[in-house]
PDB file of all heavy atoms in Angstrom:
ATOM      1  N   GLN A   4       7.289  -8.538 -13.352  1.00  0.00           N
ATOM      2  CA  GLN A   4       7.501  -9.542 -12.371  1.00  0.00           C
ATOM      3  C   GLN A   4       7.615 -10.938 -13.021  1.00  0.00           C
ATOM      4  O   GLN A   4       8.229 -11.766 -12.554  1.00  0.00           O
ATOM      5  CB  GLN A   4       6.290  -9.581 -11.460  1.00  0.00           C
ATOM      6  CG  GLN A   4       6.425 -10.386 -10.122  1.00  0.00           C
ATOM      7  CD  GLN A   4       5.380 -10.378  -9.191  1.00  0.00           C
ATOM      8  OE1 GLN A   4       4.180 -10.579  -9.644  1.00  0.00           O
ATOM      9  NE2 GLN A   4       5.571 -10.297  -7.941  1.00  0.00           N
ATOM     10  N   PRO A  20      15.673  -2.129  -2.113  1.00  0.00           N
ATOM     11  CA  PRO A  20      15.691  -2.401  -3.525  1.00  0.00           C
ATOM     12  C   PRO A  20      14.619  -1.635  -4.291  1.00  0.00           C
ATOM     13  O   PRO A  20      13.623  -1.226  -3.735  1.00  0.00           O
ATOM     14  CB  PRO A  20      15.143  -3.878  -3.553  1.00  0.00           C
ATOM     15  CG  PRO A  20      14.334  -4.121  -2.318  1.00  0.00           C
ATOM     16  CD  PRO A  20      14.929  -3.131  -1.342  1.00  0.00           C
ATOM     17  N   VAL A  21      14.895  -1.315  -5.599  1.00  0.00           N
ATOM     18  CA  VAL A  21      13.995  -0.521  -6.451  1.00  0.00           C
ATOM     19  C   VAL A  21      14.149  -1.242  -7.859  1.00  0.00           C
ATOM     20  O   VAL A  21      15.221  -1.686  -8.135  1.00  0.00           O
ATOM     21  CB  VAL A  21      14.244   0.909  -6.516  1.00  0.00           C
ATOM     22  CG1 VAL A  21      15.659   1.154  -7.112  1.00  0.00           C
ATOM     23  CG2 VAL A  21      13.165   1.593  -7.327  1.00  0.00           C
ATOM     24  N   THR A  22      13.030  -1.394  -8.586  1.00  0.00           N
ATOM     25  CA  THR A  22      13.003  -2.054  -9.878  1.00  0.00           C
ATOM     26  C   THR A  22      12.653  -1.186 -10.877  1.00  0.00           C
ATOM     27  O   THR A  22      12.054  -0.123 -10.667  1.00  0.00           O
ATOM     28  CB  THR A  22      12.220  -3.326  -9.777  1.00  0.00           C
ATOM     29  OG1 THR A  22      10.730  -2.867  -9.800  1.00  0.00           O
ATOM     30  CG2 THR A  22      12.381  -4.193  -8.587  1.00  0.00           C
ATOM     31  N   ASP A  25       9.053  -0.171 -10.364  1.00  0.00           N
ATOM     32  CA  ASP A  25       8.779   0.879  -9.536  1.00  0.00           C
ATOM     33  C   ASP A  25       8.795   2.207 -10.239  1.00  0.00           C
ATOM     34  O   ASP A  25       7.875   3.021 -10.182  1.00  0.00           O
ATOM     35  CB  ASP A  25       9.909   1.002  -8.401  1.00  0.00           C
ATOM     36  CG  ASP A  25       9.748  -0.141  -7.341  1.00  0.00           C
ATOM     37  OD1 ASP A  25      10.282  -1.287  -7.683  1.00  0.00           O
ATOM     38  OD2 ASP A  25       9.097  -0.042  -6.323  1.00  0.00           O
ATOM     39  N   GLU A  50       7.136   7.888  -4.053  1.00  0.00           N
ATOM     40  CA  GLU A  50       8.327   7.355  -3.364  1.00  0.00           C
ATOM     41  C   GLU A  50       9.559   7.605  -4.029  1.00  0.00           C
ATOM     42  O   GLU A  50      10.651   7.787  -3.493  1.00  0.00           O
ATOM     43  CB  GLU A  50       8.072   5.860  -3.150  1.00  0.00           C
ATOM     44  CG  GLU A  50       9.242   5.201  -2.337  1.00  0.00           C
ATOM     45  CD  GLU A  50       8.923   3.743  -1.907  1.00  0.00           C
ATOM     46  OE1 GLU A  50       8.004   3.272  -2.292  1.00  0.00           O
ATOM     47  OE2 GLU A  50       9.838   3.373  -1.044  1.00  0.00           O
ATOM     48  N   GLU A  51       9.634   7.547  -5.313  1.00  0.00           N
ATOM     49  CA  GLU A  51      10.779   7.465  -6.155  1.00  0.00           C
ATOM     50  C   GLU A  51      11.237   8.831  -6.750  1.00  0.00           C
ATOM     51  O   GLU A  51      10.454   9.693  -6.886  1.00  0.00           O
ATOM     52  CB  GLU A  51      10.697   6.339  -7.366  1.00  0.00           C
ATOM     53  CG  GLU A  51      10.213   5.009  -6.927  1.00  0.00           C
ATOM     54  CD  GLU A  51      11.005   4.366  -5.828  1.00  0.00           C
ATOM     55  OE1 GLU A  51      12.170   4.761  -5.645  1.00  0.00           O
ATOM     56  OE2 GLU A  51      10.373   3.376  -5.194  1.00  0.00           O
ATOM     57  N   ASP A 113       2.524   5.248  -3.851  1.00  0.00           N
ATOM     58  CA  ASP A 113       3.582   4.215  -3.841  1.00  0.00           C
ATOM     59  C   ASP A 113       3.444   3.345  -5.031  1.00  0.00           C
ATOM     60  O   ASP A 113       2.516   2.492  -5.215  1.00  0.00           O
ATOM     61  CB  ASP A 113       3.378   3.388  -2.539  1.00  0.00           C
ATOM     62  CG  ASP A 113       4.636   2.530  -2.309  1.00  0.00           C
ATOM     63  OD1 ASP A 113       5.387   2.353  -3.240  1.00  0.00           O
ATOM     64  OD2 ASP A 113       4.939   2.255  -1.105  1.00  0.00           O
ATOM     65  N   PRO A 114       4.372   3.496  -5.987  1.00  0.00           N
ATOM     66  CA  PRO A 114       4.228   2.871  -7.399  1.00  0.00           C
ATOM     67  C   PRO A 114       4.319   1.410  -7.225  1.00  0.00           C
ATOM     68  O   PRO A 114       3.690   0.658  -8.032  1.00  0.00           O
ATOM     69  CB  PRO A 114       5.376   3.438  -8.126  1.00  0.00           C
ATOM     70  CG  PRO A 114       6.365   4.037  -7.141  1.00  0.00           C
ATOM     71  CD  PRO A 114       5.512   4.375  -5.934  1.00  0.00           C
ATOM     72  N   ILE A 115       5.136   0.887  -6.324  1.00  0.00           N
ATOM     73  CA  ILE A 115       5.057  -0.572  -6.008  1.00  0.00           C
ATOM     74  C   ILE A 115       5.265  -0.670  -4.486  1.00  0.00           C
ATOM     75  O   ILE A 115       6.398  -0.462  -4.070  1.00  0.00           O
ATOM     76  CB  ILE A 115       6.110  -1.410  -6.758  1.00  0.00           C
ATOM     77  CG1 ILE A 115       5.725  -1.327  -8.191  1.00  0.00           C
ATOM     78  CG2 ILE A 115       6.093  -2.854  -6.227  1.00  0.00           C
ATOM     79  CD1 ILE A 115       6.140  -2.608  -9.107  1.00  0.00           C
ATOM     80  N   ASP A 116       4.175  -0.998  -3.797  1.00  0.00           N
ATOM     81  CA  ASP A 116       4.307  -1.042  -2.316  1.00  0.00           C
ATOM     82  C   ASP A 116       4.603  -2.482  -2.124  1.00  0.00           C
ATOM     83  O   ASP A 116       3.905  -3.473  -2.551  1.00  0.00           O
ATOM     84  CB  ASP A 116       3.027  -0.644  -1.679  1.00  0.00           C
ATOM     85  CG  ASP A 116       3.107  -0.698  -0.154  1.00  0.00           C
ATOM     86  OD1 ASP A 116       4.141  -0.367   0.313  1.00  0.00           O
ATOM     87  OD2 ASP A 116       2.077  -1.083   0.491  1.00  0.00           O
ATOM     88  N   GLY A 117       5.744  -2.778  -1.366  1.00  0.00           N
ATOM     89  CA  GLY A 117       6.041  -4.166  -1.098  1.00  0.00           C
ATOM     90  C   GLY A 117       7.027  -4.681  -2.181  1.00  0.00           C
ATOM     91  O   GLY A 117       6.832  -5.815  -2.691  1.00  0.00           O
ATOM     92  N   THR A 118       8.005  -3.886  -2.469  1.00  0.00           N
ATOM     93  CA  THR A 118       9.011  -4.283  -3.500  1.00  0.00           C
ATOM     94  C   THR A 118       9.641  -5.635  -3.294  1.00  0.00           C
ATOM     95  O   THR A 118       9.916  -6.450  -4.191  1.00  0.00           O
ATOM     96  CB  THR A 118      10.075  -3.243  -3.731  1.00  0.00           C
ATOM     97  OG1 THR A 118       9.436  -1.981  -3.974  1.00  0.00           O
ATOM     98  CG2 THR A 118      11.065  -3.602  -4.774  1.00  0.00           C
ATOM     99  N   LYS A 119       9.879  -5.906  -2.016  1.00  0.00           N
ATOM    100  CA  LYS A 119      10.524  -7.177  -1.650  1.00  0.00           C
ATOM    101  C   LYS A 119       9.603  -8.348  -1.919  1.00  0.00           C
ATOM    102  O   LYS A 119      10.034  -9.458  -2.354  1.00  0.00           O
ATOM    103  CB  LYS A 119      11.059  -7.345  -0.257  1.00  0.00           C
ATOM    104  CG  LYS A 119      12.187  -6.403   0.006  1.00  0.00           C
ATOM    105  CD  LYS A 119      12.749  -6.386   1.457  1.00  0.00           C
ATOM    106  CE  LYS A 119      13.878  -5.585   1.702  1.00  0.00           C
ATOM    107  NZ  LYS A 119      14.387  -5.533   3.076  1.00  0.00           N
ATOM    108  N   GLY A 120       8.242  -8.188  -1.737  1.00  0.00           N
ATOM    109  CA  GLY A 120       7.342  -9.243  -2.030  1.00  0.00           C
ATOM    110  C   GLY A 120       7.273  -9.346  -3.560  1.00  0.00           C
ATOM    111  O   GLY A 120       7.096 -10.501  -4.119  1.00  0.00           O
ATOM    112  N   PHE A 121       7.241  -8.131  -4.235  1.00  0.00           N
ATOM    113  CA  PHE A 121       7.280  -8.170  -5.667  1.00  0.00           C
ATOM    114  C   PHE A 121       8.511  -9.016  -6.213  1.00  0.00           C
ATOM    115  O   PHE A 121       8.347  -9.860  -7.195  1.00  0.00           O
ATOM    116  CB  PHE A 121       7.424  -6.738  -6.243  1.00  0.00           C
ATOM    117  CG  PHE A 121       7.497  -6.548  -7.672  1.00  0.00           C
ATOM    118  CD1 PHE A 121       6.388  -6.639  -8.492  1.00  0.00           C
ATOM    119  CD2 PHE A 121       8.715  -6.420  -8.339  1.00  0.00           C
ATOM    120  CE1 PHE A 121       6.389  -6.470  -9.816  1.00  0.00           C
ATOM    121  CE2 PHE A 121       8.917  -6.226  -9.779  1.00  0.00           C
ATOM    122  CZ  PHE A 121       7.668  -6.218 -10.529  1.00  0.00           C
ATOM    123  N   LEU A 122       9.642  -8.892  -5.678  1.00  0.00           N
ATOM    124  CA  LEU A 122      10.888  -9.552  -6.118  1.00  0.00           C
ATOM    125  C   LEU A 122      10.671 -11.078  -5.883  1.00  0.00           C
ATOM    126  O   LEU A 122      11.295 -11.846  -6.537  1.00  0.00           O
ATOM    127  CB  LEU A 122      12.067  -9.031  -5.370  1.00  0.00           C
ATOM    128  CG  LEU A 122      12.494  -7.654  -5.686  1.00  0.00           C
ATOM    129  CD1 LEU A 122      13.563  -7.214  -4.793  1.00  0.00           C
ATOM    130  CD2 LEU A 122      12.967  -7.602  -7.235  1.00  0.00           C
ATOM    131  N   ARG A 123       9.929 -11.537  -4.774  1.00  0.00           N
ATOM    132  CA  ARG A 123       9.830 -12.962  -4.528  1.00  0.00           C
ATOM    133  C   ARG A 123       8.759 -13.499  -5.382  1.00  0.00           C
ATOM    134  O   ARG A 123       8.496 -14.667  -5.327  1.00  0.00           O
ATOM    135  CB  ARG A 123       9.469 -13.096  -3.019  1.00  0.00           C
ATOM    136  CG  ARG A 123      10.525 -12.793  -2.071  1.00  0.00           C
ATOM    137  CD  ARG A 123      10.152 -13.386  -0.628  1.00  0.00           C
ATOM    138  NE  ARG A 123       8.883 -12.938  -0.219  1.00  0.00           N
ATOM    139  CZ  ARG A 123       8.742 -11.822   0.462  1.00  0.00           C
ATOM    140  NH1 ARG A 123       9.576 -11.125   0.753  1.00  0.00           N
ATOM    141  NH2 ARG A 123       7.463 -11.542   0.728  1.00  0.00           N
ATOM    142  N   GLY A 124       7.940 -12.751  -6.043  1.00  0.00           N
ATOM    143  CA  GLY A 124       6.819 -13.140  -6.877  1.00  0.00           C
ATOM    144  C   GLY A 124       5.549 -13.266  -5.902  1.00  0.00           C
ATOM    145  O   GLY A 124       4.557 -13.933  -6.409  1.00  0.00           O
ATOM    146  N   ASP A 125       5.616 -12.548  -4.838  1.00  0.00           N
ATOM    147  CA  ASP A 125       4.529 -12.636  -3.899  1.00  0.00           C
ATOM    148  C   ASP A 125       3.548 -11.334  -4.047  1.00  0.00           C
ATOM    149  O   ASP A 125       3.530 -10.714  -5.043  1.00  0.00           O
ATOM    150  CB  ASP A 125       4.936 -12.769  -2.450  1.00  0.00           C
ATOM    151  CG  ASP A 125       5.485 -14.220  -2.229  1.00  0.00           C
ATOM    152  OD1 ASP A 125       5.181 -15.135  -3.013  1.00  0.00           O
ATOM    153  OD2 ASP A 125       6.231 -14.312  -1.354  1.00  0.00           O
ATOM    154  N   GLN A 126       2.938 -10.929  -2.915  1.00  0.00           N
ATOM    155  CA  GLN A 126       2.076  -9.794  -2.917  1.00  0.00           C
ATOM    156  C   GLN A 126       2.743  -8.473  -3.011  1.00  0.00           C
ATOM    157  O   GLN A 126       3.819  -8.243  -2.418  1.00  0.00           O
ATOM    158  CB  GLN A 126       1.197  -9.754  -1.746  1.00  0.00           C
ATOM    159  CG  GLN A 126       0.265 -11.039  -1.495  1.00  0.00           C
ATOM    160  CD  GLN A 126      -0.713 -11.144  -2.653  1.00  0.00           C
ATOM    161  OE1 GLN A 126      -1.171 -10.125  -3.308  1.00  0.00           O
ATOM    162  NE2 GLN A 126      -1.163 -12.403  -2.898  1.00  0.00           N
ATOM    163  N   TYR A 127       2.081  -7.623  -3.748  1.00  0.00           N
ATOM    164  CA  TYR A 127       2.558  -6.107  -3.852  1.00  0.00           C
ATOM    165  C   TYR A 127       1.275  -5.412  -4.201  1.00  0.00           C
ATOM    166  O   TYR A 127       0.313  -5.938  -4.533  1.00  0.00           O
ATOM    167  CB  TYR A 127       3.738  -5.986  -4.892  1.00  0.00           C
ATOM    168  CG  TYR A 127       3.289  -6.206  -6.312  1.00  0.00           C
ATOM    169  CD1 TYR A 127       2.999  -5.130  -7.138  1.00  0.00           C
ATOM    170  CD2 TYR A 127       3.227  -7.471  -6.815  1.00  0.00           C
ATOM    171  CE1 TYR A 127       2.663  -5.360  -8.526  1.00  0.00           C
ATOM    172  CE2 TYR A 127       2.941  -7.771  -8.179  1.00  0.00           C
ATOM    173  CZ  TYR A 127       2.533  -6.594  -9.018  1.00  0.00           C
ATOM    174  OH  TYR A 127       2.253  -6.902 -10.297  1.00  0.00           O
ATOM    175  N   ALA A 128       1.365  -3.990  -4.101  1.00  0.00           N
ATOM    176  CA  ALA A 128       0.365  -3.186  -4.462  1.00  0.00           C
ATOM    177  C   ALA A 128       0.699  -1.945  -5.095  1.00  0.00           C
ATOM    178  O   ALA A 128       1.889  -1.387  -4.869  1.00  0.00           O
ATOM    179  CB  ALA A 128      -0.522  -2.937  -3.215  1.00  0.00           C
ATOM    180  N   ILE A 129      -0.151  -1.375  -5.954  1.00  0.00           N
ATOM    181  CA  ILE A 129       0.067  -0.086  -6.477  1.00  0.00           C
ATOM    182  C   ILE A 129      -0.929   0.855  -5.664  1.00  0.00           C
ATOM    183  O   ILE A 129      -2.214   0.590  -5.856  1.00  0.00           O
ATOM    184  CB  ILE A 129      -0.222   0.016  -7.994  1.00  0.00           C
ATOM    185  CG1 ILE A 129       0.956  -0.827  -8.760  1.00  0.00           C
ATOM    186  CG2 ILE A 129      -0.070   1.497  -8.437  1.00  0.00           C
ATOM    187  CD1 ILE A 129       0.493  -2.176  -8.911  1.00  0.00           C
ATOM    188  N   ALA A 130      -0.486   1.841  -4.916  1.00  0.00           N
ATOM    189  CA  ALA A 130      -1.289   2.542  -4.041  1.00  0.00           C
ATOM    190  C   ALA A 130      -1.378   3.970  -4.276  1.00  0.00           C
ATOM    191  O   ALA A 130      -0.330   4.652  -4.246  1.00  0.00           O
ATOM    192  CB  ALA A 130      -0.847   2.275  -2.583  1.00  0.00           C
ATOM    193  N   ALA A 145      -4.453  -1.265  -6.037  1.00  0.00           N
ATOM    194  CA  ALA A 145      -4.243  -2.470  -7.018  1.00  0.00           C
ATOM    195  C   ALA A 145      -3.549  -3.486  -6.510  1.00  0.00           C
ATOM    196  O   ALA A 145      -2.269  -3.289  -6.116  1.00  0.00           O
ATOM    197  CB  ALA A 145      -3.857  -1.885  -8.376  1.00  0.00           C
ATOM    198  N   ASN A 148      -1.662  -9.701  -7.537  1.00  0.00           N
ATOM    199  CA  ASN A 148      -1.503 -11.121  -7.136  1.00  0.00           C
ATOM    200  C   ASN A 148      -2.401 -11.527  -5.998  1.00  0.00           C
ATOM    201  O   ASN A 148      -2.386 -12.617  -5.524  1.00  0.00           O
ATOM    202  CB  ASN A 148      -0.010 -11.406  -6.562  1.00  0.00           C
ATOM    203  CG  ASN A 148       0.958 -11.370  -7.735  1.00  0.00           C
ATOM    204  OD1 ASN A 148       0.541 -11.403  -8.991  1.00  0.00           O
ATOM    205  ND2 ASN A 148       2.158 -11.242  -7.460  1.00  0.00           N
ATOM    206  N   SER A 210       3.075  -7.573   8.727  1.00  0.00           N
ATOM    207  CA  SER A 210       3.959  -7.531   7.622  1.00  0.00           C
ATOM    208  C   SER A 210       4.812  -8.731   7.573  1.00  0.00           C
ATOM    209  O   SER A 210       5.247  -9.458   8.415  1.00  0.00           O
ATOM    210  CB  SER A 210       4.921  -6.292   7.801  1.00  0.00           C
ATOM    211  OG  SER A 210       4.153  -5.202   7.893  1.00  0.00           O
ATOM    212  N   PHE A 211       5.137  -9.147   6.193  1.00  0.00           N
ATOM    213  CA  PHE A 211       5.986 -10.332   6.037  1.00  0.00           C
ATOM    214  C   PHE A 211       7.440 -10.007   6.453  1.00  0.00           C
ATOM    215  O   PHE A 211       8.045 -10.854   7.048  1.00  0.00           O
ATOM    216  CB  PHE A 211       6.049 -10.596   4.448  1.00  0.00           C
ATOM    217  CG  PHE A 211       6.683 -11.899   4.165  1.00  0.00           C
ATOM    218  CD1 PHE A 211       6.046 -12.992   3.920  1.00  0.00           C
ATOM    219  CD2 PHE A 211       8.087 -11.950   3.978  1.00  0.00           C
ATOM    220  CE1 PHE A 211       6.580 -14.265   3.632  1.00  0.00           C
ATOM    221  CE2 PHE A 211       8.752 -13.105   3.593  1.00  0.00           C
ATOM    222  CZ  PHE A 211       8.025 -14.282   3.464  1.00  0.00           C
ATOM    223  N   GLU A 212       7.888  -8.696   6.221  1.00  0.00           N
ATOM    224  CA  GLU A 212       9.234  -8.398   6.580  1.00  0.00           C
ATOM    225  C   GLU A 212       9.388  -7.969   8.075  1.00  0.00           C
ATOM    226  O   GLU A 212       8.624  -7.053   8.510  1.00  0.00           O
ATOM    227  CB  GLU A 212       9.606  -7.192   5.618  1.00  0.00           C
ATOM    228  CG  GLU A 212       9.772  -7.471   4.165  1.00  0.00           C
ATOM    229  CD  GLU A 212      10.973  -8.476   3.875  1.00  0.00           C
ATOM    230  OE1 GLU A 212      11.942  -8.353   4.709  1.00  0.00           O
ATOM    231  OE2 GLU A 212      10.904  -9.214   2.983  1.00  0.00           O
ATOM    232  N   HIS A 215       9.914  -4.321   9.180  1.00  0.00           N
ATOM    233  CA  HIS A 215       8.768  -3.395   9.183  1.00  0.00           C
ATOM    234  C   HIS A 215       7.891  -3.429  10.516  1.00  0.00           C
ATOM    235  O   HIS A 215       7.174  -2.530  10.685  1.00  0.00           O
ATOM    236  CB  HIS A 215       7.864  -3.655   8.014  1.00  0.00           C
ATOM    237  CG  HIS A 215       8.644  -3.338   6.797  1.00  0.00           C
ATOM    238  ND1 HIS A 215       8.083  -3.758   5.530  1.00  0.00           N
ATOM    239  CD2 HIS A 215       9.727  -2.642   6.458  1.00  0.00           C
ATOM    240  CE1 HIS A 215       8.926  -3.312   4.555  1.00  0.00           C
ATOM    241  NE2 HIS A 215       9.959  -2.676   5.139  1.00  0.00           N
ATOM    242  N   ILE A 238       1.621 -11.130   4.890  1.00  0.00           N
ATOM    243  CA  ILE A 238       1.769 -10.851   3.426  1.00  0.00           C
ATOM    244  C   ILE A 238       2.356  -9.413   3.380  1.00  0.00           C
ATOM    245  O   ILE A 238       2.326  -8.530   4.259  1.00  0.00           O
ATOM    246  CB  ILE A 238       0.418 -10.883   2.690  1.00  0.00           C
ATOM    247  CG1 ILE A 238      -0.669  -9.938   3.237  1.00  0.00           C
ATOM    248  CG2 ILE A 238      -0.121 -12.370   2.710  1.00  0.00           C
ATOM    249  CD1 ILE A 238      -1.777  -9.909   2.561  1.00  0.00           C
ATOM    250  N   ASP A 239       2.954  -9.246   2.196  1.00  0.00           N
ATOM    251  CA  ASP A 239       3.598  -7.910   1.868  1.00  0.00           C
ATOM    252  C   ASP A 239       2.600  -6.843   1.548  1.00  0.00           C
ATOM    253  O   ASP A 239       1.485  -7.167   1.050  1.00  0.00           O
ATOM    254  CB  ASP A 239       4.618  -8.073   0.736  1.00  0.00           C
ATOM    255  CG  ASP A 239       5.629  -9.105   1.013  1.00  0.00           C
ATOM    256  OD1 ASP A 239       6.691  -8.664   1.677  1.00  0.00           O
ATOM    257  OD2 ASP A 239       5.510 -10.210   0.544  1.00  0.00           O
ATOM    258  N   SER A 240       2.943  -5.614   1.725  1.00  0.00           N
ATOM    259  CA  SER A 240       2.316  -4.343   1.123  1.00  0.00           C
ATOM    260  C   SER A 240       0.915  -4.071   1.620  1.00  0.00           C
ATOM    261  O   SER A 240       0.377  -4.783   2.592  1.00  0.00           O
ATOM    262  CB  SER A 240       2.252  -4.560  -0.369  1.00  0.00           C
ATOM    263  OG  SER A 240       1.105  -5.463  -0.730  1.00  0.00           O
ATOM    264  N   GLN A 241       0.350  -3.095   1.108  1.00  0.00           N
ATOM    265  CA  GLN A 241      -1.103  -2.658   1.492  1.00  0.00           C
ATOM    266  C   GLN A 241      -2.087  -3.620   1.019  1.00  0.00           C
ATOM    267  O   GLN A 241      -3.259  -3.331   1.228  1.00  0.00           O
ATOM    268  CB  GLN A 241      -1.358  -1.333   1.111  1.00  0.00           C
ATOM    269  CG  GLN A 241      -0.449  -0.174   1.664  1.00  0.00           C
ATOM    270  CD  GLN A 241      -0.703   1.234   1.201  1.00  0.00           C
ATOM    271  OE1 GLN A 241      -1.700   1.851   1.409  1.00  0.00           O
ATOM    272  NE2 GLN A 241       0.371   1.799   0.470  1.00  0.00           N
ATOM    273  N   ALA A 242      -1.659  -4.638   0.405  1.00  0.00           N
ATOM    274  CA  ALA A 242      -2.610  -5.791   0.073  1.00  0.00           C
ATOM    275  C   ALA A 242      -3.340  -6.212   1.340  1.00  0.00           C
ATOM    276  O   ALA A 242      -4.446  -6.658   1.344  1.00  0.00           O
ATOM    277  CB  ALA A 242      -1.964  -6.969  -0.608  1.00  0.00           C
ATOM    278  N   LYS A 243      -2.723  -6.070   2.546  1.00  0.00           N
ATOM    279  CA  LYS A 243      -3.229  -6.374   3.803  1.00  0.00           C
ATOM    280  C   LYS A 243      -4.520  -5.655   3.982  1.00  0.00           C
ATOM    281  O   LYS A 243      -5.578  -6.119   4.597  1.00  0.00           O
ATOM    282  CB  LYS A 243      -2.311  -6.252   4.867  1.00  0.00           C
ATOM    283  CG  LYS A 243      -1.134  -7.232   4.915  1.00  0.00           C
ATOM    284  CD  LYS A 243      -0.202  -6.943   6.074  1.00  0.00           C
ATOM    285  CE  LYS A 243       0.733  -5.783   5.938  1.00  0.00           C
ATOM    286  NZ  LYS A 243       1.756  -5.917   4.838  1.00  0.00           N
ATOM    287  N   ARG A 257       0.765  -3.155  13.018  1.00  0.00           N
ATOM    288  CA  ARG A 257       2.082  -2.752  12.448  1.00  0.00           C
ATOM    289  C   ARG A 257       2.819  -1.952  13.512  1.00  0.00           C
ATOM    290  O   ARG A 257       2.545  -0.832  13.930  1.00  0.00           O
ATOM    291  CB  ARG A 257       1.914  -1.928  11.157  1.00  0.00           C
ATOM    292  CG  ARG A 257       3.339  -1.590  10.525  1.00  0.00           C
ATOM    293  CD  ARG A 257       3.087  -0.939   9.166  1.00  0.00           C
ATOM    294  NE  ARG A 257       4.216  -0.346   8.610  1.00  0.00           N
ATOM    295  CZ  ARG A 257       4.885  -0.762   7.511  1.00  0.00           C
ATOM    296  NH1 ARG A 257       4.395  -1.885   6.949  1.00  0.00           N
ATOM    297  NH2 ARG A 257       5.859  -0.188   6.867  1.00  0.00           N
ATOM    298  N   TRP A 268       2.893   7.307   1.915  1.00  0.00           N
ATOM    299  CA  TRP A 268       2.444   6.613   0.805  1.00  0.00           C
ATOM    300  C   TRP A 268       2.221   5.077   1.145  1.00  0.00           C
ATOM    301  O   TRP A 268       1.736   4.349   0.287  1.00  0.00           O
ATOM    302  CB  TRP A 268       3.319   6.757  -0.439  1.00  0.00           C
ATOM    303  CG  TRP A 268       4.865   6.610  -0.070  1.00  0.00           C
ATOM    304  CD1 TRP A 268       5.542   5.425   0.268  1.00  0.00           C
ATOM    305  CD2 TRP A 268       5.787   7.612  -0.093  1.00  0.00           C
ATOM    306  NE1 TRP A 268       6.814   5.621   0.488  1.00  0.00           N
ATOM    307  CE2 TRP A 268       7.028   7.012   0.344  1.00  0.00           C
ATOM    308  CE3 TRP A 268       5.746   8.940  -0.308  1.00  0.00           C
ATOM    309  CZ2 TRP A 268       8.208   7.663   0.414  1.00  0.00           C
ATOM    310  CZ3 TRP A 268       6.941   9.686  -0.258  1.00  0.00           C
ATOM    311  CH2 TRP A 268       8.194   9.085   0.181  1.00  0.00           C
ATOM    312  N   ASP A 269       2.746   4.615   2.367  1.00  0.00           N
ATOM    313  CA  ASP A 269       2.645   3.285   2.800  1.00  0.00           C
ATOM    314  C   ASP A 269       1.274   3.045   3.412  1.00  0.00           C
ATOM    315  O   ASP A 269       0.886   1.824   3.720  1.00  0.00           O
ATOM    316  CB  ASP A 269       3.689   2.830   3.788  1.00  0.00           C
ATOM    317  CG  ASP A 269       5.145   2.707   3.056  1.00  0.00           C
ATOM    318  OD1 ASP A 269       5.067   2.304   1.922  1.00  0.00           O
ATOM    319  OD2 ASP A 269       6.110   3.070   3.651  1.00  0.00           O
TER     320      ASP A 269
END
Side-chain angles (χ1 to χ4, degrees):
Q4 192 182 45
V21 62
T22 72
D25 293 81
E50 182 169 12
E51 311 303 343
D113 195 332
I115 294 209
D116 184 38
T118 299
K119 289 183 179 179
F121 178 82
L122 292 173
R123 289 195 308 273
D125 289 341
Q126 297 298 332
Y127 66 100
I129 297 89
N148 287 345
S210 299
F211 189 96
E212 294 291 332
H215 293 164
I238 61 175
D239 301 278
S240 82
Q241 290 177 72
K243 291 182 285 293
R257 185 172 169 110
W268 50 70
D269 287 326

